[in-house]
Amino acid sequence: MNKRVLQLAAAIGLALAAGGAMAATNDADVTRATLDNGLRVVIVRDTLAPVITTEMNYLAGSDEVPEGFPGTAHAVEHMMFRGSPGLSKDQLAAIAANMGGAFNADTTQGVTQYYFVAPAQDLDVALHVQSLRMRGVDMDQKEWDKERGAIEQEVSRDLSSPDFKFYTQLLEQMFAGTPYAHTPLGTRPSFEKTTAAMLKHFHDTWYAPNNAILVIAGDVDPAATLAKVKQEFGGIARRTLPARPAFEFKPVTAKTVQLPTDSPYGSVYLGYRMPGLTSKDHATALVLGQALGSQRAALAGMRFDGTALFGGFFGESMPHAGVGMAVGIFPKGGNPQPILAKMQGILAEAASKGIDPALVDAAKRKAIASLEFKKNSVDGLANAWSHALAFQGAESPDAIKAAIEAVTPAAVNALAKQTFDPAHAITAILTPESSGKPVAGKGFGGAESFASSPDKPVQLPAWAEQAFARLEVPKSSLNPVTYTLPNGLTLIVQPETISDTVELFGRIKTNQDLQAAKGEEGVADVLGGLFPFGTEHMDRLQFQQALDEISARANAGSHFSLAVPSAHFAEGVKLLADNELHPALPAQAFGVVQQQTAGMLAGQLQSPDFLLQLGLGKALLPANDLQLRHATPQNVTTLTLDKVKQYYAQTFRPDMTTIVIVGKVDPAQAKQVIEQAFGDWKASGPKPDTDYAAVPANQPGKLHVPDASAVQDSVDMAQTIAVTYDDPARYAINLGDQVLGGGFYASRLTRDLREKHGLVYTVGVGLDADKHRGTYKVFFGCDPDKVAAASALVVQNLKQMQQQSVTDTELKQAKGILLRRIPLGESSFGAIGGQLLTLSLQGKPLDAMTVAGQHYLELTAPEVQRAFQKYVRPDGLVTAVKGPAPKS
């Protein structure tokens, strides 16, 4: 169950959505109703793919919990997966697995959301499950005693993160005396005192139809869907709701937090309290945050002038208040004080002089257009409606758009002056430290004592059994058009009319390990860092301004992309091509990026994650295998700009490039635009080989990498496998992997390692196949004293796949999972673009997913068994552990 928490990754990875004119919602595509019992229903028709998303939003979260029990809402969310009257936990798990999509939940301060993403044919099943769970949930004390272990493990895992530790301190300081002073996660001491009766009381109090909003998006018949909703939910009685807690915020007292981190880089944060989601000033706060986070703004400028490795601004909003956070990243061993001083000066200037009106205007356009881009995903569209209605109390995403449009520069400046007072700032410095000896302690909480899961196949309810009775290969909704330009560039166009936008996904097949000269490892990293500095025709600010003016977002490099309103498609492609084919590569910027890359590497080479992957690679691959090459600070500091330019000229070739375009564009028009922008690009010499060579089978082994910040061990059990992405055996291995790890509770490994023996929280398995080599891996997290037992069970399960055929029930469920995932891979522009790009680069037909579906449908249990016998080596695994030392 994923939680919305403020993490560093959110700061660094935040990509502000492109802006532009947004079409108003078509009323014909939106059906609204309020049932007699108060349930609000919104149905949004989206024909992108035969896929649906259902989101049941209960307007209760950690705000409504009893005093002293901050994780009650989170605990109820967990228990909602342990069955309801008329639907056992095992049946629920099997149903979710058979649907093949996403089935999860999310607890926040004011809303707890339960969602399905599934093929459209399974809508009735999803609605019936949601209905049963609103009516009641099994809250047996013995079941809660079992689930408590899982939720306490989740708490321990998050509290192992220095970023999360800072977040908890931030909330305590910023929101003292209110429900926001704690996260929705909860605490181990409070869970120890929590009873099943308390959880049932919370469910029965707040999980009422008149306290819920159901959002359904996808390829549905709105009238028929509404009739089904009334049938499923109409008979559930409304309830009298208690009063909600009051929020009286006290002035924030400035505080500085110092924490160590095992990250390869350090972080500086400046946090301030800002308006919440339901505030009349929320749109102003949103625009202010995006203006400060602009690539044209001073915080981002810290990256470009060498002050920091990264600079930006991000936020997290709760219903009644929010947090705005400036962030700066420094290398391991670096001094954070200059970055802190620079950030303080930037925010002080924002408060005293205001924000550049041009940045405010660009931020407004981007914020508005982000709503349009959400239409490019079925679940993204559902999220947009849920967020507007349940989280912000608005009538629709269009109402959010109107609020953003009304924001003025004067309002932004007034909020900046009010907010950025150093007397009310929370400062944090997270300093990287090398891992030493593991942290002493028991580890990842108490063992989960789940009852043994049934040895017999789960008998589904008749309504579910009927829905999953027939297996067939879904009909693809894609009809891509492929072109090959005279210079060898491959262009694939998939027209879609669901929004007034176009998204472009491009990749050049390069491989630094095979193409960089000896001693020049890291050249590709430096080159990648230079693209944001603009083009030969525009400096970085001019280039970013040109993108802002057409509400576009572009990224150049060996992986490149563009998101742009369809009306500005040609202009966006022209800008992207200028950056891709004519990067500025300025000498001054080279020095900055070279220093930044070397600084990042200095920390990365000592980080537990890197050491684990390096150690695992050395154990799996032959000595001197090219995949073991890696950059060092020494390599990077000896590079010259000429060497970077030579690498660029050598590796960036049109005949190694594929571009996929998805969106509101005619294929012929797209071809003409791409030819004009990329047609003069030429390659010389023969095509390079960018694929690693085949490798022999590895020897078994074990390795341990200490991680001082961890109380849980992360375990990878891996081996090389002679299955490539063209090998027909991959179908049988993939199908067997679904038996082992697909469908969560319904999979063998989860039942055995989690439920029967209480050794792990989650476990996964997968085949990573390349052109000439492959890797097979099982991965999990567990207490140090359980690594040996869990690893032994993994080996036992793999051997069982070789010794006995899977059951008919398991085989059918595994097939259903893979077949139903086919339409899910077509349910967003990103999924479509990624799929077509990968297939093209691998030289496969673009209907390869349908071909794969036919293979899955025809596979037999003996064929799966033979594949595991031939290719999987249970006694040949390398077990790599990161965290405290495993105990025997």
Side-chain angles (χ1 to χ4, degrees), residues 551-572:
S551 304
R553 181 180 69 247
N555 293 289
S558 58
H559 294 68
F560 55 97
S561 63
L562 171 71
V564 63
S566 53
H568 300 295
F569 171 64
E571 298 163 82

Side-chain angles (χ1 to χ4, degrees), residues 259-284:
L259 287 171
T261 177
D262 241 4
S263 168
Y265 44 76
S267 311
V268 179
Y269 294 112
L270 276 176
Y272 302 85
R273 192 161 67 205
M274 297 187 74
L277 291 167
T278 59
S279 168
K280 63 180 177 60
D281 295 322
H282 174 66
T284 303

Side-chain angles (χ1 to χ4, degrees), residues 313-364:
F313 192 93
F314 65 99
E316 178 176 284
S317 296
M318 288 81 80
H320 300 285
V323 178
M325 192 79 65
V327 60
I329 305 300
F330 62 93
K332 184 174 183 177
N335 182 3
Q337 293 305 319
I339 298 176
L340 175 59
K342 185 74 171 284
M343 291 164 55
Q344 291 169 332
I346 290 170
L347 295 181
E349 184 170 342
S352 62
K353 298 182 180 179
I355 309 296
D356 183 347
L359 294 181
V360 172
D361 184 59
K364 287 175 61 176

Side-chain angles (χ1 to χ4, degrees), residues 611-882:
L611 293 173
L612 180 78
Q613 293 308 313
L614 180 63
L616 189 57
K618 288 181 176 180
L620 293 175
L621 302 172
N624 301 316
D625 186 89
L626 292 177
Q627 196 170 345
L628 295 175
R629 293 183 73 184
H630 63 84
T632 67
Q634 292 73 27
N635 295 142
V636 170
T637 54
T638 59
L639 288 172
T640 65
L641 182 56
D642 283 342
K643 290 179 179 179
V644 174
K645 290 181 177 180
Q646 289 169 11
Y647 181 82
Y648 169 77
Q650 169 196 347
T651 60
F652 277 53
R653 303 169 55 108
D655 55 354
M656 299 291 286
T657 301
T658 297
I659 292 176
V660 177
I661 296 172
V662 185
K664 195 171 186 179
V665 62
D666 176 74
Q669 177 205 1
K671 177 176 180 287
Q672 181 181 16
V673 169
I674 295 298
E675 282 183 325
Q676 290 175 348
F678 289 89
D680 291 337
W681 188 15
K682 304 298 181 184
S684 61
K687 286 186 178 183
D689 184 4
T690 60
D691 296 297
Y692 296 111
V695 291
N698 64 277
Q699 295 298 312
K702 296 181 180 179
L703 65 101
H704 168 241
V705 175
D707 186 345
S709 68
V711 292
Q712 175 204 26
D713 278 330
S714 298
V715 184
D716 286 352
M717 301 180 68
Q719 64 181 221
T720 57
I721 185 171
V723 177
T724 68
Y725 61 54
D726 289 322
D727 194 326
R730 71 188 187 278
Y731 299 119
I733 297 294
N734 287 338
L735 193 60
D737 284 350
Q738 296 307 313
V739 174
L740 285 168
F744 194 45
Y745 281 119
S747 70
R748 286 187 178 185
L749 287 173
T750 297
R751 289 199 306 265
D752 206 5
L753 274 70
R754 173 171 169 151
E755 293 200 51
K756 285 187 177 181
H757 296 94
L759 299 174
V760 307
Y761 182 48
T762 58
V763 57
V765 58
L767 167 68
D768 182 11
D770 207 342
K771 185 172 184 178
H772 303 300
R773 61 174 65 174
T775 304
Y776 190 78
K777 182 187 293 185
V778 181
F779 47 93
F780 55 88
C782 70
D783 288 341
D785 61 350
K786 297 174 178 61
V787 171
S791 301
L793 285 174
V794 168
V795 172
Q796 179 180 312
N797 273 270
L798 293 177
K799 288 183 176 179
Q800 186 180 6
M801 293 292 293
Q802 298 175 322
Q803 295 163 356
Q804 300 173 10
S805 292
V806 300
T807 66
D808 290 343
T809 300
E810 289 176 316
L811 186 68
K812 182 179 179 181
Q813 179 176 281
K815 290 181 177 181
I817 292 173
L818 290 172
L819 291 172
R820 280 176 159 80
R821 283 181 182 170
I822 293 175
L824 298 177
E826 302 175 0
S827 63
S828 71
F829 282 17
I832 293 169
Q835 175 178 301
L836 294 177
L837 191 61
T838 299
L839 293 175
S840 175
L841 290 167
Q842 292 181 353
K844 295 179 180 178
L846 298 185
D847 65 348
M849 300 308 297
T850 299
V851 174
Q854 194 62 44
H855 280 283
Y856 294 136
L857 193 63
E858 296 172 356
L859 275 169
T860 65
E863 288 174 323
V864 174
Q865 182 182 2
R866 287 194 293 272
F868 272 74
Q869 290 171 340
K870 181 175 180 180
Y871 295 104
V872 178
R873 299 173 289 112
D875 293 323
L877 292 163
V878 174
T879 301
V881 181
K882 177 174 72 75

